[in-house]
Amino acid sequence: MLLKILVLALIGWSASFVSGMVGIGGAVIKYPMLLYLPPLLAGFSYSAHEVAGLNAIQVFFATLSAVVALRKEPYLNRSLVLYMGGAILLASFIGGFGAQYLSQAAVNVVFAFLAVAALFLMFLPKKALDDVPPDKVRFNRALAVGIAVFVGLASGVVGAGGGFILVPLMLFILRIPTRMTIATSLAVTFLNSIGSTLGKVLSNQIIYWPDGVVLVIASMLGAPLGARLMTRTSPRLLQGILTALIALTVAKMWWDILLPGEVPADAPLPPAEPEN
C-alpha cells in the first residue's frame, strides 16, 4: 500500500509541476504515466476508463491551484476565459458522459489522436507575438468558441483538461502570446475538467476516489511551483518543453496501439496467487 501511494504521489506531483509550468492540465504526461508506471514500479494497474476518471479529478485540482497562483498576473485574459470557458464546460460534460459507451481501446485512440494533433500544431510557423502588451491582445471570438467545443468533446472522453492541445491551438490559430496562452489555458482547462468530471460521475463511470485523493494532494503541491516558474522562463524554452513532452507521448501511445503486446497496456493485472 505504501509503495502504491508513493508511486501515485510521484505521478501526481511531477505531472502537475509540468502542467503549471507549460499551461497544460498534466494529462498529456499523466495519462501514459498512470497506464505504464504502476505495473512497472508497484505491481498494480488501471484500465483506460479508470485512468480517465483519475485524470479528471487530478486535472481539476491541479489547474485550480495553478490559476489561484496566477490570479493576479496580467497574463490571465478574462475575456478569453469567458468565451472559451463556457463552451468548453458544456462540451466536456457531453464528452465525459458519452465516454461510457466507448471501449478501452477507443479511449486510448482518442487520446493518441489528440496528442498527434497537438504535436503537429507545435511545428506550425508562428509570427512573433510575445512582445504584444497584454491589454492589446485581440482574438476571433467565434473561432475561440469553436476550438473550445472541439477540445471539450475530445478531452472529456479521456478525462483530460485538454491543455496539451488547447495551448498550441491558442498559440498558432488564435495567435495569443505564449505567457498569456499558458495562464489563460489553465483557467479554461479548469472549467473543462469540471464538465468532464461531472459527466463521468453522473454516468457512474469508475473513479477510484482514494487514489484520486493522493493524486490531488500531490498535484496541489506541484502545480503552483510550476506556475511560478513559468513567469520566469523564456517563451521559447516553454514551447520546447511542451513539444518534447507531447512527442514522447505520441511515440509511446501509437507504438502500443499499432504494435500491441500480448497483454494490452490498459488491461488490469490478474490477482496475485495466494501464498501457501
Side-chain angles (χ1 to χ4, degrees):
M1 177 60 70
L2 178 60
L3 180 58
K4 179 180 183 179
I5 293 174
L6 289 175
V7 169
L8 288 174
L10 172 65
I11 293 173
W13 188 92
S14 58
S16 297
F17 177 81
V18 173
S19 77
M21 186 170 65
V22 298
I24 60 177
V28 69
I29 55 175
K30 183 165 52 62
Y31 190 98
M33 287 175 75
L34 283 170
L35 280 180
Y36 303 124
L37 288 186
L40 181 65
L41 300 178
F44 69 98
S45 66
Y46 299 108
S47 69
H49 279 296
E50 291 164 351
V51 168
L54 290 172
N55 256 339
I57 298 173
Q58 188 268 343
V59 169
F60 173 87
F61 286 97
T63 51
L64 172 61
S65 57
V67 168
V68 169
L70 292 173
R71 66 187 184 281
K72 295 182 180 180
E73 295 289 339
Y75 303 112
L76 189 62
N77 189 315
R78 288 167 176 77
S79 177
L80 191 55
V81 171
L82 178 64
Y83 279 95
M84 299 190 76
I88 209 167
L89 179 62
L90 177 60
S92 63
F93 174 80
I94 296 172
F97 190 89
Q100 62 183 309
Y101 303 110
L102 299 178
S103 67
Q104 307 285 347
V107 173
N108 280 337
V109 169
V110 170
F111 180 86
F113 269 112
L114 281 175
V116 168
L119 183 62
F120 171 77
L121 289 168
M122 292 304 295
F123 287 100
L124 291 179
K126 165 178 169 286
K127 294 182 179 179
L129 297 175
D130 291 320
D131 57 348
V132 178
D135 60 341
K136 300 297 183 182
V137 174
R138 300 292 182 268
F139 62 91
N140 184 310
R141 295 174 181 178
L143 186 57
V145 170
I147 288 173
V149 170
F150 164 71
V151 173
L153 287 172
S155 61
V157 170
V158 297
F164 62 96
I165 189 169
L166 191 62
V167 167
L169 284 172
M170 291 172 68
L171 284 172
F172 304 117
I173 305 300
L174 294 180
R175 299 180 65 203
I176 305 298
T178 302
R179 287 195 178 93
M180 180 173 288
T181 289
I182 291 174
T184 303
S185 72
L186 285 167
V188 176
T189 298
F190 167 65
L191 295 172
N192 193 14
S193 68
I194 293 176
S196 177
T197 302
L198 284 176
K200 293 184 181 302
V201 170
L202 294 180
S203 59
N204 296 317
Q205 295 181 56
I206 298 174
I207 297 180
Y208 290 131
W209 293 102
D211 296 6
V213 169
V214 176
L215 289 171
V216 165
I217 293 174
S219 299
M220 295 184 74
L221 295 174
L225 294 177
R228 292 299 182 188
L229 183 59
M230 179 272 291
T231 63
R232 298 170 174 81
T233 307
S234 72
R236 179 173 296 182
L237 178 58
L238 291 172
Q239 290 184 35
I241 292 172
L242 181 58
T243 301
L245 290 174
I246 295 175
L248 289 173
T249 298
V250 166
K252 177 59 178 173
M253 293 298 298
W254 281 107
W255 176 274
D256 287 338
I257 290 172
L258 298 177
L259 299 171
E262 295 182 0
V263 179
D266 62 350
L269 293 178
E273 293 292 335
E275 296 182 0
N276 295 326

